[in-house]
Amino acid sequence: MRCPFCKADDSRVVDSRAVDDGLAIRRRRECAECGRRFTTSETSMLYVVKRSGATEPFSRAKVVSGVRKACQGRPVSEDDLALLAQQVEDIVRATGSAEIPAMEVGLAILGPLRQLDEVAYLRFASVYRSFDTLEDFEAEIALLRAEGEAVGEEPVSVSSTTVSPTTQTSHTP
């Protein structure tokens, strides 16, 4: 690592610590030439491959932005969205791949979003699973009901676009 003060190429690591829940390493280094100390940070890079083939760094902010649209008018806080973005990042990093297709990021959002708010989940799923007809929505609602009944939850209400209060899993205080 090059010293930011004297530009010498030789430095030694004095201390290393994991930060950001182990996603990065902070290192204190000492320059062998001038003796000054400086800090570096190491992170593993995760890239998203767009449909066009272009790549860009994974961004939690983009996840939050996309999910916020599906959650519009729903009782979902910014903290809930930030936690969801962290969960999505954990899911895509767990694949072990340095590059992940954008479609897989969208699909990785579905599980945590479903736990957060089923109506927002339906809105988001309709885009990522390309719902074309009313039957697509009905089939997804039937699946939500069946799985909700299997775990003893009250099913999603079809008479309106809201989730019954006992089913809602929002983490708002």
Side-chain angles (χ1 to χ4, degrees):
M1 174 60 68
R2 182 170 288 174
C3 174
F5 305 107
C6 71
K7 309 296 185 227
D9 287 330
D10 192 23
S11 65
R12 70 180 184 89
V13 175
V14 178
D15 181 43
S16 293
R17 294 177 192 222
V19 293
D20 291 337
D21 295 324
L23 294 176
I25 297 175
R26 184 182 68 86
R27 298 192 193 278
R28 283 296 287 162
R29 295 178 174 271
E30 184 176 330
C31 177
E33 192 73 29
C34 70
R36 293 179 77 178
R37 291 186 175 191
F38 56 97
T39 302
T40 60
S41 180
E42 297 177 21
T43 60
S44 61
M45 297 301 295
L46 177 62
Y47 288 96
V48 176
V49 181
K50 312 275 269 181
R51 288 183 204 150
S52 67
T55 60
E56 64 180 44
F58 176 85
S59 167
R60 286 186 203 169
K62 285 187 103 171
V63 170
V64 168
S65 172
V67 172
R68 184 180 288 124
K69 293 171 191 164
C71 293
Q72 196 167 10
R74 302 295 305 154
V76 177
S77 71
E78 287 299 314
D79 288 343
D80 292 335
L81 293 176
L83 180 61
L84 181 136
Q86 176 64 53
Q87 291 171 331
V88 170
E89 184 174 1
D90 291 346
I91 290 167
V92 296
R93 282 193 184 278
T95 65
S97 178
E99 292 185 348
I100 188 160
M103 183 59 110
E104 286 186 35
V105 174
L107 294 174
I109 291 170
L110 292 175
L113 183 56
R114 182 175 178 177
Q115 294 299 312
L116 181 63
D117 187 283
E118 290 178 328
V119 173
Y121 163 79
L122 280 172
R123 291 174 179 171
F124 196 86
S126 71
V127 173
Y128 268 87
R129 292 191 178 156
S130 302
F131 290 3
D132 292 324
T133 65
L134 185 57
E135 288 77 25
D136 293 335
F137 281 95
E138 289 172 341
E140 193 66 28
I141 290 170
L143 183 63
L144 285 170
R145 280 187 174 152
E147 290 176 5
E149 290 170 358
V151 294
E153 294 179 354
E154 192 172 311
V156 175
S157 171
V158 177
S159 60
S160 68
T161 58
T162 61
V163 176
S164 111
T166 57
T167 319
Q168 190 172 339
T169 56
S170 177
H171 302 287
T172 54

